[in-house]
Amino acid sequence: MSTDLNVHKCPNGHLCYPKHSVCPKCGVLMGNKTVSLSELNGTVVTWTKSTVPPPGVRSPNILAIVEYYIEGQSITLLGGIENESVNIGDVVKATYVSSLRDAEYGQRDEESQTWSGHRFKVVN
Amino acid sequence: MDRVAIIGVSMTQFGVREGSWIRDLLSEAAMDCIETTGIVPKNIDHVYVSNMASGEFEGQTGIMNALVHDIGAIPAYTARIDQTSASGGAGIYAAWQSIASGQSDMTLLVGGEKMTHTSTSMATEIISTLTHPVEYKHGVTLPSFAGLIAQLYLHKYNASRESLAKVAVKNHKNGVDNPHAHFRKEVDIEAVLNSPIVADPLRLYDFCPITDGSAALMFCSESRAKKITQDYVVITGIGGATDTHVVHERREPTTLDAVVNSSNKAYEMANKTPNDIDVAELHDMFTILEILQSEDLGFFNKGEGWKAVEQGVTDIDGELPINTSGGLKSKGHPLGASGVAQVHELYHQLMGTAGKRQVDAKTGLACNIGGFGNCAITTILESI
Ligand SMILES: [Zn+2]
């Protein structure tokens, strides 16, 4: 299994994350093409530090919306920040985490979705 | 076209209603509305119940069936309407459609939620299950979305943190005069700014409480209403819209497109503009949401809603009073009840029966939001 941060590409070249049935930009059926963002730098659009996270989630939980530019497009993703603090405009790289939260303590059925994914590390 | 009228409203005490479960709360509001309007339960054709999560909170599903039986309205058609936090607004839309289509001559809408028997963390978790898997796995909650967007708003528009606090101060002040409100206590700016951080930059007092409660409205056509009562208001505009489920995929994170689109539909239908609105009830689940909506409804330019709060424009004695009821902030936010309770307040404002909270108003607007702007319903009401 790839530990890259992959986003999805529609047959017309539009990027999206996560994958939907059809491309949010042009409405065509999504295929299976992906593009990796793992080697790229992203920029922090905004962040928050959640001090009362839900059951099974790290505390505090610093979350950010990060924007990447690739193939002439902007794509935004949400993820945790690995550093103790972060600012708007910080440059980040994605890092793979095998378990983002302990699904046993949440409401959602553990089998219904994946729990691995990516957080971001500041690399200013 | 025969307009759709609201001929009576009710709401229970909002707060910690120990010993009252979802069936009790719904029934209490429904019976009060039935008594207020004098409508015989057997003569109600449709009963809608706005509720997000009675199964998850309490382990009780089928609550619409329970309500129709409990209030003696069998064989009325019934359905539970879920649009998460916007279930109340969605219920208003369903009730409006039932009358406008001619399918029902008399429709009762009851919204309610029972929440306080669970811990704050469990209640927040139940609500956060509305998020997409790729967001949920990061431990996202609705408060953390509010923190993310508030941080960006303050940065992008150079807005003051105090302006967010002032939304809370204003709404708590209004709530003092609302006997149904969960909190009837003023707070000052210092108290908000010194309350514990929940999702930076937002603090505890930027958030509405977790609350039990229920509210109800009775709908019929205006021609029927005229035969029953002098005391009714009419819905002249209504619209609903949906935005991305995944919040990070929004076109512009500080704009709630569902609010923009739903209100455009409502304004067009009512043949009104934002300038025509005299009083508004907005979905201040978080202080930042009231400011975002006040812009996306067209009351203020994007990035300037915070200034209007600072200048007192949205105070109860300002040019455009917002949340005279005290808002979700002081009334509390029993999810499915909130959109219904917004219209409960507007009914009283338009009828001139809002007591100490009374403002001069002929046209009112309610905006009810689900998720962090995932869905929105805008309703425009007018006095006759
Ligand atoms: Zn496309």
Side-chain angles (χ1 to χ4, degrees):
Chain A
M1 189 189 121
S2 165
T3 56
D4 272 16
L5 170 53
N6 290 319
V7 299
H8 305 276
K9 190 176 184 175
C10 89
N12 291 325
H14 302 123
L15 301 176
C16 70
Y17 184 82
K19 192 176 177 180
H20 301 278
S21 303
V22 301
C23 170
K25 294 203 177 71
C26 71
V28 301
L29 285 174
M30 293 294 295
N32 290 316
K33 272 191 198 165
T34 60
V35 176
S36 171
L37 302 182
S38 287
E39 297 304 312
L40 301 179
N41 290 335
T43 307
V44 173
V45 174
T46 187
W47 63 275
T48 191
K49 185 184 199 173
S50 170
T51 53
V52 277
V57 176
R58 65 181 186 156
S59 182
N61 191 22
I62 303 187
L63 295 163
I65 294 177
V66 170
E67 183 171 33
Y68 284 87
Y69 284 99
I70 179 173
E71 301 182 2
Q73 300 173 52
S74 148
I75 181 162
T76 48
L77 299 99
L78 180 138
I81 292 289
E82 289 280 74
N83 309 65
E84 284 181 8
S85 67
V86 68
N87 289 297
I88 290 175
D90 277 354
V91 179
V92 296
K93 265 202 159 70
T95 174
Y96 178 77
V97 177
S98 59
S99 179
L100 293 164
R101 77 182 274 182
D102 192 339
E104 197 186 322
Y105 300 100
Q107 279 284 108
R108 190 164 291 167
D109 193 297
E110 198 168 343
E111 303 297 320
S112 72
Q113 68 165 91
T114 64
W115 304 95
S116 61
H118 295 80
R119 289 193 184 129
F120 301 103
K121 261 190 184 140
V122 178
V123 295
N124 286 342
Chain B
M1 192 186 109
D2 206 357
R3 301 188 294 183
V4 175
I6 295 175
I7 58 167
V9 302
S10 66
M11 69 186 276
T12 68
Q13 180 64 49
F14 276 19
V16 178
R17 297 289 310 272
E18 213 178 322
S20 290
W21 297 90
I22 188 65
R23 281 182 44 230
D24 306 313
L25 293 165
L26 295 173
S27 196
E28 184 185 331
M31 290 309 293
D32 194 2
C33 196
I34 285 166
E35 192 178 322
T36 301
T37 53
I39 300 299
V40 178
K42 288 275 177 213
N43 293 339
I44 299 171
D45 297 321
H46 285 200
V47 176
Y48 295 97
V49 174
S50 297
N51 170 267
M52 172 176 169
S54 64
E56 291 80 353
F57 276 113
E58 190 179 314
Q60 175 73 64
T61 59
I63 54 174
M64 62 289 171
N65 191 169
L67 181 71
V68 167
H69 193 176
D70 286 341
I71 65 172
I74 289 174
Y77 165 74
T78 190
R80 170 171 164 258
I81 309 289
D82 165 24
Q83 207 186 83
T84 68
S85 285
S87 299
I92 292 166
Y93 207 174
W96 177 84
Q97 287 169 333
S98 74
I99 301 294
S101 66
Q103 286 289 304
S104 169
D105 288 337
M106 189 63 65
T107 294
L108 174 66
L109 168 66
V110 189
E113 210 81 37
K114 172 67 180 175
M115 305 172 77
T116 65
H117 58 291
T118 58
S119 65
T120 299
S121 114
M122 187 45 75
T124 307
E125 166 67 1
I126 288 171
I127 298 167
S128 71
T129 59
L130 69 84
T131 59
H132 190 283
V134 300
E135 296 179 320
Y136 181 81
K137 68 182 175 184
H138 287 290
V140 166
T141 56
L142 273 289
S144 52
F145 279 135
L148 286 164
I149 305 306
Q151 191 87 261
L152 180 59
Y153 184 91
L154 296 181
H155 177 83
K156 193 169 177 181
Y157 303 111
N158 206 19
S160 71
R161 178 60 190 82
E162 287 72 18
S163 64
L164 296 175
K166 278 184 181 164
V167 172
V169 171
K170 167 179 73 69
N171 293 351
H172 269 278
K173 191 161 182 260
N174 294 346
V176 169
D177 290 323
N178 186 345
H180 298 293
H182 189 162
F183 290 124
R184 300 183 64 189
K185 184 170 78 94
E186 286 199 43
V187 298
D188 57 24
I189 288 197
E190 289 67 38
V192 181
L193 295 178
N194 292 324
S195 64
I197 288 184
V198 171
D200 197 346
L202 299 180
R203 293 168 180 269
L204 185 63
Y205 281 21
D206 286 296
F207 298 91
C208 67
I210 287 167
T211 301
D212 307 326
S214 180
L217 309 170
M218 192 74 80
F219 297 74
C220 65
S221 66
E222 187 174 17
S223 57
R224 177 105 192 258
K226 278 182 178 154
K227 293 175 192 156
I228 299 170
T229 176
Q230 306 280 316
D231 300 336
Y232 67 89
V233 301
V234 285
I235 294 177
T236 54
I238 189 161
T242 309
D243 201 349
T244 65
H245 181 211
V246 183
V247 173
H248 71 242
E249 291 190 86
R250 302 263 161 96
R251 177 182 64 81
E252 199 289 293
T254 62
T255 299
L256 303 168
D257 277 343
V259 171
V260 174
N261 291 317
S262 73
S263 65
N264 282 343
K265 289 179 195 173
Y267 287 133
E268 191 185 342
M269 181 178 157
N271 196 22
K272 296 280 179 200
T273 71
N275 283 333
D276 297 321
I277 304 302
D278 302 318
V279 61
E281 286 286 307
L282 306 188
H283 193 95
D284 57 330
M285 186 175 184
F286 322 108
T287 52
I288 181 68
L289 262 188
E290 180 176 309
I291 292 177
L292 297 181
Q293 283 164 91
S294 73
E295 298 170 355
D296 300 333
L297 290 163
F299 298 151
F300 311 112
N301 290 332
K302 185 45 70 186
E304 292 182 1
W306 66 278
K307 293 180 190 165
V309 174
E310 292 216 325
Q311 290 159 3
V313 175
T314 59
D315 286 354
I316 197 156
D317 56 358
E319 276 171 63
L320 175 60
I322 291 180
N323 285 327
T324 55
S325 68
L328 279 51
K329 184 70 189 77
S330 85
K331 262 202 327 283
H333 180 27
L335 309 166
S338 287
V340 182
Q342 289 180 323
V343 169
H344 176 279
E345 175 71 7
L346 293 178
Y347 173 90
H348 283 299
Q349 289 291 354
L350 299 175
M351 294 302 306
T353 51
K356 286 186 175 174
R357 307 187 308 283
Q358 187 64 53
V359 299
D360 184 20
K362 286 190 164 62
T363 305
L365 178 149
C367 186
N368 189 202
I369 286 182
F372 196 84
N374 299 17
C375 319
I377 306 280
T378 304
T379 309
I380 295 172
L381 298 122
E382 293 180 53
S383 56
I384 50 165

